[in-house]
Amino acid sequence: IWSLLRNLVLWRASVKWYAGALVLPAAVRFTALSLLYSFGYVTSDFSFRPWHELLRLFLLMLILVPLEEIGWRGYALPRLQMLYGALWASMMLGVMWSFWHLPLIRVSGSYQESRSPLAYIIVFTLTILPISILFTWLYNRTRGSLLLASLFHAAINVTESALIIREKDGLLLLLVACALNSVLAAVITA
């Protein structure tokens, strides 16, 4: 338990890792939105949540996400990597992680709320796999920092919640963001 908690406060890493953990999720999401908008696939019929709601969500995530990351990256990932290597460990963890989030499809107002659970879990699993690879890369490059993994996770959740968009546009946005994350995952594993 102490080694897990120690990695939660492992903060000694280059500022580039902090910048990447905090900025990459928004950069991917808004690049995807810009691409869709510039090609006419998404209308300007979207808005952003008020900053104070996002700040409140980020603060909540700073409390909740480390508890989740202790399990995923702190406990499961090192053990899976020893047995299967970084890529397969990331993929297995991504599948488990997607099923962990399955109950959130019934939470009203959640960005994961869905009227179609089967379609949601398929899409969510596909989109979480490249993100899981990015998590593993960040975790490994920062000597197992759960702090940075938690900041990355919180930034993803806040970014996902920041945009208010029509459901059909949201799915397309999610898939384009997934493609961008997949390109990033392919580059870092090449």
Side-chain angles (χ1 to χ4, degrees):
I1 296 224
W2 290 113
S3 66
L4 294 174
L5 295 177
R6 185 177 56 243
N7 285 357
L8 195 54
V9 293
L10 183 59
W11 60 271
R12 288 187 180 199
S14 170
V15 70
K16 72 180 180 181
W17 296 111
Y18 284 92
L22 292 170
V23 174
L24 185 63
V28 166
R29 177 63 63 165
F30 295 116
T31 298
L33 181 63
S34 298
L35 287 169
L36 290 171
Y37 185 74
S38 65
F39 288 105
Y41 289 106
V42 173
T43 66
S44 60
D45 187 24
F46 61 86
S47 61
F48 296 96
R49 295 197 189 283
W51 70 269
H52 58 87
E53 285 183 23
L54 295 175
L55 178 60
R56 194 169 52 234
L57 176 63
F58 188 74
L59 293 174
L60 179 65
M61 290 296 107
L62 288 179
I63 295 167
L64 297 178
V65 164
L67 300 174
E68 192 174 339
E69 287 305 320
I70 286 172
W72 296 130
R73 259 47 76 178
Y75 183 79
L77 182 60
R79 286 154 182 80
L80 289 171
Q81 283 193 104
M82 283 191 308
L83 296 171
Y84 304 105
L87 181 60
W88 283 108
S90 299
M91 302 298 271
M92 288 185 277
L93 201 56
V95 171
M96 290 184 277
W97 192 20
S98 71
F99 282 98
W100 166 262
H101 283 211
L102 188 57
L104 292 176
I105 64 173
R106 297 291 184 213
V107 175
S108 180
S110 162
Y111 72 85
Q112 294 175 327
E113 179 182 14
S114 176
R115 289 182 221 112
S116 176
L118 181 60
Y120 173 82
I121 197 63
I122 291 169
V123 170
F124 187 72
T125 301
L126 290 175
T127 59
I128 208 73
L129 292 176
I131 292 172
S132 186
I133 294 169
L134 295 174
F135 263 103
T136 299
W137 178 70
L138 177 68
Y139 176 85
N140 288 339
R141 294 284 193 247
T142 60
R143 297 180 322 275
S145 175
L146 293 178
L147 174 62
L148 280 158
S150 295
L151 290 173
F152 188 47
H153 193 152
I156 289 169
N157 289 354
V158 171
T159 300
E160 294 288 326
S161 299
L163 198 58
I164 301 170
I165 193 166
R166 294 180 308 182
E167 189 173 341
K168 72 178 187 78
D169 292 341
L171 177 60
L172 190 55
L173 178 63
L174 187 64
L175 294 174
V176 172
C178 174
L180 292 172
N181 282 324
S182 296
V183 169
L184 287 172
V187 167
I188 64 171
T189 57

